[in-house]
Amino acid sequence: MDSTIKGDGAIRRTSVYGSSIENTYAGVLSFMRRNYTRDLTGVDVVISGIPLDLATTFRSGARQGPAAVRAASVQLSELAPYPWGFNPFDDLAVIDYGDCWFDAHNPLTIAPSIVEHARTILASGAKMLTFGGDHFVTYPLLKAHVEKIGQPLSLIHFDAHCDTWADDEPASLNHGSMFYKAIKEGLIDPATSVQVGIRTWNDDFMGVNIIDAPWVHAHGAQATLEKILNIVGKCPTYLTFDIDCLDPAFAPGTGTPVPGGLSSAQALHIIRGMGPVNLVGMDVVEVSPAFDQSEITALAAAHIAADLLCVLRNQKIR
């Protein structure tokens, strides 16, 4: 008798490994149908969402991002991911932890709530792949990761914006200044960090290596990947992907779109080459479904996240 679980594996599967058979148009929408659970026993990677958009400087709506990315991931659960050709969940134990809870009506408590959410997960030894929410969420996530790792991290930051504009208000919520604060506080090492896809100006990039979008277009995705790998080396690295790194033609559903960005193909080529990087944490942020068209922004974010999981699977078994 066939014992394969058919339908709603996210709440019926008992093992954190393996997959179930699902109708892509139905069922519980965890990310890639992973178990919905807060049991961290034996888990390699924890998916969670942070539905915050109070730090946006233009269009709100990214609070709906985690739900949209989960919904867009249904197609990725149907077949072995391309171009990998394997089921990453045969070897990598991944769960969907649900969303970080915070009191949106008490803004000064939001960042500490995110830090505590991350601390709980990281204490288990699992890595985090987090969906925003606006890009501010990376700042408290970095705090928790640096606390766990015990040293400043290198940052691989995909974005149209450098997010290092000056902001010396310690309690401010601003998705354009959190890396200014992170550098000032010693959370990231700018000399071994890199920002990719930048196409907005700042008078002071604070020593971070910049690979702007025109450079990527002129030199190609492979040269960009090689440059990233040379910059971060073997340093413990946090990877953050703001979906507005992509051109609005590929990611219209975001809060601050900027023309001239990377294509989905360029971004995925680079992400798939992250195998040599010592990845300690990852996030994909700024998906804003209200401005999306046919879910193409959420779909791009889901593919980026799925490829990161495939990278981690290969790192585990090598």
Short mmCIF file of all heavy atoms in Angstrom, two decimals, residues 29-89:
data_model
loop_
_atom_site.label_atom_id
_atom_site.label_comp_id
_atom_site.label_asym_id
_atom_site.label_seq_id
_atom_site.Cartn_x
_atom_site.Cartn_y
_atom_site.Cartn_z
N LEU A 29 -0.32 26.52 2.96
CA LEU A 29 0.72 27.22 2.21
C LEU A 29 1.93 27.57 3.07
O LEU A 29 2.27 28.74 3.26
CB LEU A 29 0.13 28.49 1.57
CG LEU A 29 -0.95 28.23 0.51
CD1 LEU A 29 -1.51 29.54 -0.01
CD2 LEU A 29 -0.38 27.41 -0.64
N SER A 30 2.59 26.58 3.60
CA SER A 30 3.91 26.81 4.16
C SER A 30 4.89 26.98 3.01
O SER A 30 4.56 26.69 1.86
CB SER A 30 4.33 25.64 5.04
OG SER A 30 4.42 24.46 4.26
N PHE A 31 6.10 27.44 3.30
CA PHE A 31 7.07 27.61 2.22
C PHE A 31 7.51 26.24 1.72
O PHE A 31 8.02 25.42 2.47
CB PHE A 31 8.28 28.42 2.66
CG PHE A 31 9.25 28.67 1.53
CD1 PHE A 31 8.93 29.58 0.54
CD2 PHE A 31 10.43 27.96 1.44
CE1 PHE A 31 9.79 29.80 -0.53
CE2 PHE A 31 11.30 28.17 0.37
CZ PHE A 31 10.97 29.09 -0.61
N MET A 32 7.30 26.00 0.45
CA MET A 32 7.64 24.75 -0.22
C MET A 32 7.08 23.54 0.53
O MET A 32 7.68 22.48 0.55
CB MET A 32 9.15 24.63 -0.44
CG MET A 32 9.70 25.65 -1.43
SD MET A 32 11.45 25.45 -1.82
CE MET A 32 11.41 23.99 -2.89
N ARG A 33 5.93 23.73 1.18
CA ARG A 33 5.19 22.67 1.87
C ARG A 33 5.96 22.06 3.04
O ARG A 33 5.70 20.92 3.45
CB ARG A 33 4.79 21.55 0.90
CG ARG A 33 4.11 22.04 -0.36
CD ARG A 33 2.74 22.62 -0.12
NE ARG A 33 2.04 22.85 -1.39
CZ ARG A 33 0.77 23.22 -1.49
NH1 ARG A 33 0.06 23.45 -0.41
NH2 ARG A 33 0.22 23.39 -2.68
N ARG A 34 6.89 22.85 3.60
CA ARG A 34 7.62 22.32 4.75
C ARG A 34 6.72 22.23 5.97
O ARG A 34 5.71 22.93 6.06
CB ARG A 34 8.85 23.19 5.08
CG ARG A 34 9.82 23.39 3.94
CD ARG A 34 10.01 22.15 3.08
NE ARG A 34 10.46 20.97 3.82
CZ ARG A 34 10.15 19.72 3.46
NH1 ARG A 34 9.41 19.48 2.40
NH2 ARG A 34 10.61 18.72 4.17
N ASN A 35 7.09 21.39 6.93
CA ASN A 35 6.29 21.22 8.14
C ASN A 35 6.10 22.56 8.84
O ASN A 35 7.08 23.28 9.10
CB ASN A 35 6.99 20.27 9.12
CG ASN A 35 7.09 18.86 8.60
OD1 ASN A 35 6.88 18.59 7.42
ND2 ASN A 35 7.42 17.94 9.50
N TYR A 36 4.88 22.88 9.18
CA TYR A 36 4.59 24.00 10.06
C TYR A 36 4.79 23.52 11.49
O TYR A 36 3.99 22.73 12.01
CB TYR A 36 3.16 24.48 9.87
CG TYR A 36 3.02 25.73 9.05
CD1 TYR A 36 2.07 25.81 8.03
CD2 TYR A 36 3.80 26.86 9.30
CE1 TYR A 36 1.92 26.97 7.28
CE2 TYR A 36 3.67 28.01 8.55
CZ TYR A 36 2.73 28.06 7.54
OH TYR A 36 2.58 29.20 6.79
N THR A 37 5.84 23.97 12.12
CA THR A 37 6.13 23.51 13.48
C THR A 37 7.08 24.48 14.16
O THR A 37 7.81 25.22 13.48
CB THR A 37 6.77 22.10 13.46
OG1 THR A 37 7.04 21.68 14.81
CG2 THR A 37 8.07 22.08 12.67
N ARG A 38 7.07 24.46 15.47
CA ARG A 38 8.07 25.20 16.25
C ARG A 38 8.98 24.26 17.02
O ARG A 38 9.73 24.69 17.90
CB ARG A 38 7.38 26.21 17.16
CG ARG A 38 6.62 27.25 16.35
CD ARG A 38 6.58 28.61 16.97
NE ARG A 38 6.19 29.59 15.98
CZ ARG A 38 6.08 30.90 16.23
NH1 ARG A 38 6.33 31.36 17.44
NH2 ARG A 38 5.73 31.73 15.27
N ASP A 39 8.94 22.99 16.66
CA ASP A 39 9.87 22.00 17.21
C ASP A 39 11.16 22.11 16.41
O ASP A 39 11.20 21.79 15.22
CB ASP A 39 9.27 20.60 17.09
CG ASP A 39 10.17 19.54 17.70
OD1 ASP A 39 11.32 19.86 18.11
OD2 ASP A 39 9.74 18.37 17.76
N LEU A 40 12.22 22.56 17.05
CA LEU A 40 13.49 22.81 16.38
C LEU A 40 14.45 21.63 16.45
O LEU A 40 15.59 21.74 15.98
CB LEU A 40 14.15 24.05 16.99
CG LEU A 40 13.35 25.35 16.85
CD1 LEU A 40 13.92 26.44 17.75
CD2 LEU A 40 13.35 25.81 15.39
N THR A 41 13.99 20.50 16.94
CA THR A 41 14.85 19.34 17.11
C THR A 41 15.35 18.83 15.75
O THR A 41 14.56 18.50 14.87
CB THR A 41 14.09 18.21 17.82
OG1 THR A 41 13.57 18.69 19.05
CG2 THR A 41 15.02 17.04 18.08
N GLY A 42 16.68 18.77 15.59
CA GLY A 42 17.27 18.20 14.39
C GLY A 42 17.10 19.04 13.14
O GLY A 42 17.32 18.54 12.03
N VAL A 43 16.72 20.29 13.27
CA VAL A 43 16.43 21.13 12.11
C VAL A 43 17.69 21.85 11.63
O VAL A 43 18.47 22.37 12.43
CB VAL A 43 15.32 22.16 12.45
CG1 VAL A 43 15.13 23.16 11.31
CG2 VAL A 43 14.02 21.44 12.77
N ASP A 44 17.91 21.85 10.32
CA ASP A 44 19.05 22.55 9.72
C ASP A 44 18.73 24.01 9.40
O ASP A 44 19.57 24.89 9.61
CB ASP A 44 19.48 21.86 8.42
CG ASP A 44 19.98 20.45 8.63
OD1 ASP A 44 20.78 20.24 9.57
OD2 ASP A 44 19.58 19.55 7.86
N VAL A 45 17.55 24.26 8.85
CA VAL A 45 17.17 25.60 8.41
C VAL A 45 15.74 25.89 8.83
O VAL A 45 14.85 25.06 8.63
CB VAL A 45 17.29 25.75 6.87
CG1 VAL A 45 16.98 27.20 6.46
CG2 VAL A 45 18.68 25.36 6.38
N VAL A 46 15.55 27.08 9.38
CA VAL A 46 14.22 27.52 9.80
C VAL A 46 13.76 28.65 8.89
O VAL A 46 14.43 29.68 8.76
CB VAL A 46 14.23 28.00 11.26
CG1 VAL A 46 12.91 28.67 11.62
CG2 VAL A 46 14.52 26.84 12.20
N ILE A 47 12.64 28.43 8.24
CA ILE A 47 11.97 29.49 7.49
C ILE A 47 11.05 30.24 8.45
O ILE A 47 10.31 29.62 9.21
CB ILE A 47 11.11 28.91 6.35
CG1 ILE A 47 11.93 27.99 5.43
CG2 ILE A 47 10.40 30.01 5.58
CD1 ILE A 47 12.90 28.69 4.55
N SER A 48 11.08 31.56 8.41
CA SER A 48 10.09 32.33 9.17
C SER A 48 9.86 33.66 8.48
O SER A 48 10.66 34.09 7.65
CB SER A 48 10.50 32.53 10.63
OG SER A 48 11.62 33.39 10.75
N GLY A 49 8.75 34.28 8.81
CA GLY A 49 8.41 35.57 8.23
C GLY A 49 8.42 36.66 9.29
O GLY A 49 8.19 36.40 10.47
N ILE A 50 8.70 37.88 8.84
CA ILE A 50 8.60 39.06 9.72
C ILE A 50 7.74 40.08 8.98
O ILE A 50 8.24 40.85 8.14
CB ILE A 50 9.98 39.64 10.08
CG1 ILE A 50 10.88 38.56 10.69
CG2 ILE A 50 9.80 40.80 11.06
CD1 ILE A 50 12.27 39.06 11.08
N PRO A 51 6.45 40.09 9.24
CA PRO A 51 5.52 40.91 8.45
C PRO A 51 5.47 42.37 8.89
O PRO A 51 4.44 42.87 9.34
CB PRO A 51 4.18 40.20 8.67
CG PRO A 51 4.31 39.60 10.03
CD PRO A 51 5.75 39.21 10.18
N LEU A 52 6.59 43.05 8.72
CA LEU A 52 6.72 44.45 9.15
C LEU A 52 6.86 45.35 7.93
O LEU A 52 7.66 45.07 7.03
CB LEU A 52 7.97 44.60 10.03
CG LEU A 52 8.34 46.03 10.42
CD1 LEU A 52 7.37 46.58 11.45
CD2 LEU A 52 9.77 46.10 10.94
N ASP A 53 6.11 46.46 7.91
CA ASP A 53 6.37 47.48 6.89
C ASP A 53 6.22 48.89 7.45
O ASP A 53 5.98 49.85 6.73
CB ASP A 53 5.49 47.29 5.65
CG ASP A 53 4.00 47.38 5.93
OD1 ASP A 53 3.63 47.73 7.07
OD2 ASP A 53 3.21 47.12 5.01
N LEU A 54 6.43 49.03 8.76
CA LEU A 54 6.35 50.35 9.39
C LEU A 54 7.59 51.19 9.16
O LEU A 54 7.59 52.38 9.48
CB LEU A 54 6.11 50.19 10.89
CG LEU A 54 4.83 49.47 11.31
CD1 LEU A 54 4.73 49.39 12.82
CD2 LEU A 54 3.62 50.19 10.74
N ALA A 55 8.65 50.60 8.60
CA ALA A 55 9.90 51.33 8.38
C ALA A 55 10.06 51.81 6.95
O ALA A 55 11.11 52.35 6.59
CB ALA A 55 11.09 50.44 8.76
N THR A 56 9.04 51.62 6.12
CA THR A 56 9.15 52.00 4.72
C THR A 56 9.17 53.51 4.55
O THR A 56 8.56 54.25 5.32
CB THR A 56 7.98 51.43 3.89
OG1 THR A 56 6.75 51.82 4.52
CG2 THR A 56 8.05 49.92 3.83
N THR A 57 9.85 53.97 3.50
CA THR A 57 9.93 55.40 3.21
C THR A 57 9.08 55.79 2.01
O THR A 57 9.00 56.98 1.67
CB THR A 57 11.40 55.80 2.93
OG1 THR A 57 11.94 54.94 1.92
CG2 THR A 57 12.24 55.67 4.19
N PHE A 58 8.44 54.82 1.34
CA PHE A 58 7.58 55.13 0.22
C PHE A 58 6.31 54.28 0.32
O PHE A 58 5.47 54.55 1.16
CB PHE A 58 8.32 54.93 -1.11
CG PHE A 58 7.56 55.39 -2.34
CD1 PHE A 58 6.72 56.49 -2.31
CD2 PHE A 58 7.69 54.71 -3.54
CE1 PHE A 58 6.02 56.92 -3.42
CE2 PHE A 58 7.00 55.12 -4.68
CZ PHE A 58 6.16 56.23 -4.62
N ARG A 59 6.20 53.23 -0.45
CA ARG A 59 4.96 52.46 -0.50
C ARG A 59 4.97 51.34 0.53
O ARG A 59 5.88 50.54 0.58
CB ARG A 59 4.77 51.85 -1.90
CG ARG A 59 4.86 52.87 -3.02
CD ARG A 59 4.48 52.33 -4.39
NE ARG A 59 5.20 51.14 -4.81
CZ ARG A 59 5.25 50.72 -6.08
NH1 ARG A 59 4.62 51.42 -7.03
NH2 ARG A 59 5.88 49.63 -6.40
N SER A 60 3.92 51.31 1.35
CA SER A 60 3.80 50.22 2.33
C SER A 60 3.20 48.99 1.66
O SER A 60 2.80 49.02 0.50
CB SER A 60 2.93 50.68 3.50
OG SER A 60 1.64 51.02 3.05
N GLY A 61 3.13 47.91 2.41
CA GLY A 61 2.55 46.67 1.89
C GLY A 61 3.41 45.44 2.05
O GLY A 61 2.94 44.33 1.84
N ALA A 62 4.66 45.63 2.46
CA ALA A 62 5.56 44.47 2.59
C ALA A 62 5.19 43.58 3.76
O ALA A 62 5.72 42.47 3.87
CB ALA A 62 7.01 44.93 2.72
N ARG A 63 4.28 44.03 4.61
CA ARG A 63 3.82 43.14 5.68
C ARG A 63 3.12 41.91 5.11
O ARG A 63 3.03 40.88 5.78
CB ARG A 63 2.87 43.89 6.63
CG ARG A 63 1.55 44.32 6.01
CD ARG A 63 0.67 45.03 7.03
NE ARG A 63 1.28 46.24 7.54
CZ ARG A 63 0.76 46.98 8.53
NH1 ARG A 63 -0.37 46.61 9.10
NH2 ARG A 63 1.37 48.06 8.95
N GLN A 64 2.65 42.01 3.89
CA GLN A 64 2.03 40.87 3.23
C GLN A 64 3.04 39.99 2.50
O GLN A 64 2.67 38.97 1.90
CB GLN A 64 0.98 41.36 2.23
CG GLN A 64 -0.10 42.25 2.83
CD GLN A 64 -0.99 41.53 3.82
OE1 GLN A 64 -1.15 40.32 3.73
NE2 GLN A 64 -1.56 42.25 4.77
N GLY A 65 4.31 40.38 2.53
CA GLY A 65 5.33 39.66 1.78
C GLY A 65 5.52 38.21 2.14
O GLY A 65 5.55 37.33 1.26
N PRO A 66 5.66 37.87 3.45
CA PRO A 66 5.86 36.45 3.78
C PRO A 66 4.76 35.54 3.27
O PRO A 66 5.03 34.45 2.76
CB PRO A 66 5.91 36.47 5.32
CG PRO A 66 6.41 37.83 5.66
CD PRO A 66 5.79 38.74 4.64
N ALA A 67 3.51 35.99 3.38
CA ALA A 67 2.40 35.17 2.89
C ALA A 67 2.47 35.00 1.37
O ALA A 67 2.20 33.92 0.84
CB ALA A 67 1.07 35.80 3.30
N ALA A 68 2.85 36.07 0.67
CA ALA A 68 2.91 36.00 -0.79
C ALA A 68 4.03 35.08 -1.25
O ALA A 68 3.87 34.33 -2.22
CB ALA A 68 3.12 37.40 -1.36
N VAL A 69 5.17 35.11 -0.58
CA VAL A 69 6.29 34.24 -0.97
C VAL A 69 5.93 32.78 -0.71
O VAL A 69 6.23 31.90 -1.53
CB VAL A 69 7.58 34.65 -0.23
CG1 VAL A 69 8.71 33.67 -0.56
CG2 VAL A 69 7.99 36.06 -0.61
N ARG A 70 5.28 32.52 0.40
CA ARG A 70 4.84 31.15 0.67
C ARG A 70 3.89 30.67 -0.42
O ARG A 70 4.01 29.55 -0.92
CB ARG A 70 4.16 31.07 2.03
CG ARG A 70 5.12 31.18 3.22
CD ARG A 70 4.36 31.02 4.53
NE ARG A 70 5.26 30.99 5.69
CZ ARG A 70 5.42 32.00 6.55
NH1 ARG A 70 4.74 33.12 6.39
NH2 ARG A 70 6.25 31.88 7.57
N ALA A 71 2.93 31.51 -0.78
CA ALA A 71 1.95 31.12 -1.79
C ALA A 71 2.61 30.88 -3.14
O ALA A 71 2.24 29.97 -3.88
CB ALA A 71 0.87 32.18 -1.91
N ALA A 72 3.62 31.69 -3.47
CA ALA A 72 4.30 31.55 -4.76
C ALA A 72 5.19 30.32 -4.82
O ALA A 72 5.61 29.90 -5.91
CB ALA A 72 5.12 32.80 -5.06
N SER A 73 5.48 29.74 -3.65
CA SER A 73 6.41 28.60 -3.63
C SER A 73 5.76 27.28 -4.00
O SER A 73 6.45 26.26 -4.08
CB SER A 73 7.05 28.48 -2.24
OG SER A 73 6.14 27.95 -1.28
N VAL A 74 4.44 27.28 -4.22
CA VAL A 74 3.76 25.99 -4.46
C VAL A 74 4.32 25.28 -5.68
O VAL A 74 4.46 24.05 -5.69
CB VAL A 74 2.23 26.18 -4.60
CG1 VAL A 74 1.62 26.58 -3.27
CG2 VAL A 74 1.88 27.17 -5.69
N GLN A 75 4.65 26.03 -6.75
CA GLN A 75 5.19 25.40 -7.96
C GLN A 75 6.55 24.76 -7.71
O GLN A 75 6.91 23.78 -8.36
CB GLN A 75 5.32 26.43 -9.08
CG GLN A 75 4.02 27.02 -9.57
CD GLN A 75 4.26 28.01 -10.68
OE1 GLN A 75 4.63 27.63 -11.79
NE2 GLN A 75 4.06 29.28 -10.39
N LEU A 76 7.29 25.33 -6.76
CA LEU A 76 8.64 24.83 -6.48
C LEU A 76 8.61 23.52 -5.71
O LEU A 76 9.64 22.87 -5.56
CB LEU A 76 9.42 25.88 -5.69
CG LEU A 76 9.66 27.20 -6.43
CD1 LEU A 76 10.19 28.26 -5.50
CD2 LEU A 76 10.62 26.98 -7.59
N SER A 77 7.45 23.14 -5.19
CA SER A 77 7.32 21.89 -4.44
C SER A 77 6.90 20.73 -5.32
O SER A 77 6.83 19.59 -4.86
CB SER A 77 6.27 22.08 -3.33
OG SER A 77 6.56 23.22 -2.56
N GLU A 78 6.62 21.00 -6.58
CA GLU A 78 6.06 19.98 -7.46
C GLU A 78 7.13 19.11 -8.12
O GLU A 78 6.97 17.90 -8.27
CB GLU A 78 5.21 20.66 -8.54
CG GLU A 78 4.43 19.71 -9.41
CD GLU A 78 3.52 20.44 -10.38
OE1 GLU A 78 3.77 21.64 -10.67
OE2 GLU A 78 2.57 19.82 -10.86
N LEU A 79 8.25 19.74 -8.51
CA LEU A 79 9.33 19.05 -9.22
C LEU A 79 10.65 19.32 -8.52
O LEU A 79 10.76 20.24 -7.71
CB LEU A 79 9.41 19.54 -10.67
CG LEU A 79 8.16 19.38 -11.54
CD1 LEU A 79 8.34 20.13 -12.86
CD2 LEU A 79 7.84 17.91 -11.78
N ALA A 80 11.67 18.52 -8.85
CA ALA A 80 13.01 18.82 -8.35
C ALA A 80 13.44 20.19 -8.88
O ALA A 80 13.23 20.50 -10.05
CB ALA A 80 13.99 17.75 -8.81
N PRO A 81 14.02 21.04 -8.03
CA PRO A 81 14.37 22.39 -8.46
C PRO A 81 15.36 22.39 -9.63
O PRO A 81 16.27 21.56 -9.69
CB PRO A 81 15.00 23.01 -7.22
CG PRO A 81 14.54 22.18 -6.08
CD PRO A 81 14.35 20.81 -6.62
N TYR A 82 15.15 23.33 -10.53
CA TYR A 82 16.06 23.53 -11.66
C TYR A 82 17.09 24.58 -11.27
O TYR A 82 16.75 25.56 -10.63
CB TYR A 82 15.28 24.01 -12.89
CG TYR A 82 16.17 24.26 -14.10
CD1 TYR A 82 16.46 23.23 -14.97
CD2 TYR A 82 16.72 25.51 -14.33
CE1 TYR A 82 17.29 23.44 -16.06
CE2 TYR A 82 17.55 25.73 -15.41
CZ TYR A 82 17.83 24.70 -16.27
OH TYR A 82 18.66 24.91 -17.34
N PRO A 83 18.37 24.40 -11.64
CA PRO A 83 18.98 23.32 -12.41
C PRO A 83 19.57 22.22 -11.53
O PRO A 83 20.39 21.44 -11.99
CB PRO A 83 20.09 24.05 -13.15
CG PRO A 83 20.56 25.06 -12.15
CD PRO A 83 19.33 25.50 -11.39
N TRP A 84 19.16 22.15 -10.29
CA TRP A 84 19.81 21.27 -9.32
C TRP A 84 19.51 19.80 -9.57
O TRP A 84 20.40 18.96 -9.42
CB TRP A 84 19.38 21.67 -7.91
CG TRP A 84 19.60 23.13 -7.62
CD1 TRP A 84 18.69 24.14 -7.79
CD2 TRP A 84 20.80 23.74 -7.16
NE1 TRP A 84 19.25 25.34 -7.45
CE2 TRP A 84 20.55 25.13 -7.06
CE3 TRP A 84 22.07 23.27 -6.82
CZ2 TRP A 84 21.51 26.04 -6.64
CZ3 TRP A 84 23.02 24.17 -6.38
CH2 TRP A 84 22.75 25.53 -6.30
N GLY A 85 18.25 19.49 -9.87
CA GLY A 85 17.90 18.11 -10.18
C GLY A 85 17.81 17.18 -9.00
O GLY A 85 17.86 15.96 -9.15
N PHE A 86 17.65 17.73 -7.79
CA PHE A 86 17.48 16.89 -6.61
C PHE A 86 16.41 17.51 -5.71
O PHE A 86 16.06 18.68 -5.86
CB PHE A 86 18.79 16.70 -5.83
CG PHE A 86 19.47 17.99 -5.43
CD1 PHE A 86 18.95 18.82 -4.44
CD2 PHE A 86 20.66 18.39 -6.05
CE1 PHE A 86 19.58 20.01 -4.07
CE2 PHE A 86 21.29 19.58 -5.69
CZ PHE A 86 20.75 20.38 -4.69
N ASN A 87 15.90 16.71 -4.78
CA ASN A 87 15.01 17.22 -3.76
C ASN A 87 15.86 17.63 -2.57
O ASN A 87 16.41 16.76 -1.87
CB ASN A 87 13.99 16.15 -3.34
CG ASN A 87 13.04 16.64 -2.27
OD1 ASN A 87 13.15 17.76 -1.77
ND2 ASN A 87 12.10 15.78 -1.89
N PRO A 88 16.00 18.92 -2.29
CA PRO A 88 16.90 19.33 -1.20
C PRO A 88 16.46 18.80 0.15
O PRO A 88 17.29 18.63 1.07
CB PRO A 88 16.81 20.87 -1.23
CG PRO A 88 15.53 21.18 -1.92
CD PRO A 88 15.34 20.08 -2.92
N PHE A 89 15.17 18.45 0.29
CA PHE A 89 14.64 18.04 1.58
C PHE A 89 14.88 16.56 1.87
O PHE A 89 14.52 16.08 2.94
CB PHE A 89 13.16 18.40 1.66
CG PHE A 89 12.91 19.84 1.30
CD1 PHE A 89 12.09 20.17 0.23
CD2 PHE A 89 13.53 20.86 2.00
CE1 PHE A 89 11.88 21.49 -0.12
CE2 PHE A 89 13.32 22.19 1.66
CZ PHE A 89 12.49 22.51 0.59
#
